[in-house]
């Protein structure tokens, strides 16, 4: 069976919202249920259950670390992208005259966390312009390099840049950015929001080069909501301090050692907090297994690009529709604007009444449709046909 056949959410609708949340395949739901049942059979708080829980945690950590190209001790488990970004970010050492450089395409949740961090610690914020990059990958890479040179200052201490921009769909050359920052006198930290990249494009090179590379399993990996991870550089593990602290952060979880200057784990676990939902781990691993049955990361990315190109071509043929990018996207995110049409939010609701689901974005004001390996050509045709009647 194809991945599409295994997802009940795709049986009765035209679905283009993978960038918001991917559908959960039935085998993954069954894996979650089986794990929950096993925990209850063993007893949720008995000596018999802990080896099972440890095996679930360790196997999930190893699996995600392998996908991110880092050793397991550099992979912390998290609940979502935001917590994966914020928990290590707030533990980094900053001086009061340091500057944060944030791209103009970052998610509001991450931006808000940076703004509050700056307020509390007396930091300044600069903007890295990337929203205007709308061309092919070489021109995007060159444009970003130029913007970075113009935006870096001698006091820049942190750069925040998504691997795949959630609004325009452009891919950022994270490894090249990391190399440039390494040449900077202050060697700024690099925080990468990987919400749209993990599960969609190969991420190992970028994740291994970033200082903080935070992702979730519930979008392109089609796993359950409530489970993600963050790949951390060795210097973050050595220099960063825990911010939200719980028993999982501690080397000895049985007691609070008041005599120790550093009671925390010396690996990624220092940024984990407390009790999490263990059965979700079996569900995410199941979804990752199903994805791999449909090809490796490169093959799946090529399939996604083929589908997004088809959608981009079809949208470009409509007189009133203007895709944000001036050529087919390198990812599955296809953002576009429609002239003389209802407001984007109203149009989303109108399409939803016909069983077609896309989303609207505020900055820039546009509509976004996402193609995945489970997207069908019939879905693309239905969306284009529906938009042709509107435009």
């Amino acid at each position: 069976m194809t991945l599409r056949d295994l997802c009940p959410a795709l049986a009765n609708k035209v679905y283009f919202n993978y960038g918001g949340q991917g559908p959960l395949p039935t085998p993954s739901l069954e894996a979650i249920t089986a794990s929950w049942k096993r925990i209850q059979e063993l007893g949720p708080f008995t000596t018999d259950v802990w080896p099972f829980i440890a095996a679930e945690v360790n196997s999930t950590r190893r699996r995600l670390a392998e996908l991110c190209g880092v050793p397991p001790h550099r992979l912390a488990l998290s609940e979502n992208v935001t917590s994966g970004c914020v928990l290590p970010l707030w533990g980094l050492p900053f001086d009061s005259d340091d500057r944060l450089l944030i791209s103009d395409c970052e998610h509001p949740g991450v931006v808000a966390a940076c703004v509050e961090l700056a307020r509390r610690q007396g930091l300044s914020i600069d903007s890295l312009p990337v929203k205007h990059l709308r061309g092919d990958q070489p021109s995007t890479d060159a444009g970003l390099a130029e913007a970075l040179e113009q935006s870096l200052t001698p006091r820049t201490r942190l750069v925040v840049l998504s691997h795949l921009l959630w609004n325009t769909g452009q891919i950022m050359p994270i490894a090249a950015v990391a190399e440039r920052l390494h040449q900077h006198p202050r060697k700024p930290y690099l925080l990468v929001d990987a919400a749209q990249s993990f599960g969609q494009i190969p991420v190992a090179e970028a994740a291994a080069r970033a200082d903080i590379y935070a992702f979730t399993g519930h979008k392109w990996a089609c796993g359950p909501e409530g489970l993600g991870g963050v790949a951390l550089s060795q210097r973050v593990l050595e220099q960063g301090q825990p911010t939200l602290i719980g028993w999982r952060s501690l080397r000895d979880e049985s007691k609070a050692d008041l005599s120790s200057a550093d009671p925390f784990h010396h690996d990624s676990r220092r940024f984990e907090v407390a009790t999490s939902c263990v059965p979700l781990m079996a569900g995410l691993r199941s979804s990752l297994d199903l994805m791999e049955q449909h090809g490796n990361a490169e093959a799946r990315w090529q399939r996604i690009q083929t589908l997004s190109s088809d959608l981009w071509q079809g949208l470009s043929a409509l007189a009133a529709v203007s895709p944000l990018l001036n050529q087919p996207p390198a990812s599955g995110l296809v953002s576009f604007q429609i002239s003389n049409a209802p407001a984007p939010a109203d149009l989303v609701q109108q399409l939803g009444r016909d069983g077609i689901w896309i989303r609207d974005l505020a900055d820039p004001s546009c509509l976004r449709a996402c193609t995945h390996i489970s997207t069908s050509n019939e879905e693309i045709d239905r969306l284009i046909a529906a938009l042709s009647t509107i435009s």
Side-chain angles (χ1 to χ4, degrees), residues 81-82 84-90 92 94 98-103 106-127 157-162 189-193 212:
V81 174
T82 303
C85 288
V86 174
L87 294 185
L89 165 64
W90 279 48
L92 296 179
F94 291 104
D98 283 342
R99 306 188 73 89
L100 312 181
L101 180 58
I102 307 174
S103 97
E106 297 312 301
H107 192 277
V110 176
V111 174
C114 291
V115 170
E116 178 61 13
L117 173 67
R119 185 190 69 80
R120 294 190 184 193
Q121 299 202 21
L123 312 176
S124 299
I125 295 179
D126 300 311
S127 179
R157 188 59 173 146
L158 172 78
V159 173
V160 181
L161 179 65
S162 293
Y189 298 105
L190 176 57
L191 184 156
V192 178
D193 181 331
I212 300 172

Side-chain angles (χ1 to χ4, degrees), residues 24-41 52 56 224 277-286:
L24 185 69
T26 296
S28 301
L29 177 59
E30 293 172 344
I32 295 170
T33 303
S35 176
W36 233 309
K37 287 181 178 179
R38 183 57 180 156
I39 290 172
Q40 294 306 311
E41 290 168 356
F52 174 80
E56 288 292 285
C277 186
V278 172
L280 299 181
M281 300 180 188
L284 178 55
R285 295 198 310 273
S286 172

Side-chain angles (χ1 to χ4, degrees), residues 40-52:
Q40 294 306 311
E41 290 168 356
L42 293 169
F45 204 90
T46 66
T47 55
D48 294 334
V49 79
W50 304 125
F52 174 80

Side-chain angles (χ1 to χ4, degrees), residues 230-280:
V230 54
L232 301 163
S233 68
Q234 190 61 38
R235 67 169 177 166
V236 168
L237 298 182
E238 295 169 356
Q239 300 171 12
Q241 293 298 318
T243 48
L244 186 59
I245 295 167
W247 59 265
R248 278 170 64 187
S249 314
L250 302 173
R251 281 180 285 166
D252 184 354
E253 66 184 57
S254 66
K255 61 181 179 180
D257 188 355
L258 300 180
S259 64
S260 174
D262 183 11
F264 308 109
H265 285 294
H266 293 163
D267 56 25
S268 61
R269 291 173 295 174
R270 69 196 285 111
F271 296 107
E272 295 176 358
V273 185
T275 304
S276 295
C277 186
V278 172
L280 299 181

Side-chain angles (χ1 to χ4, degrees), residues 163-179:
H163 191 177
L164 203 164
L165 304 183
W166 74 302
N167 38 24
T168 69
Q170 290 289 68
I171 297 174
M172 299 290 100
I174 296 301
V177 172
E179 180 61 30

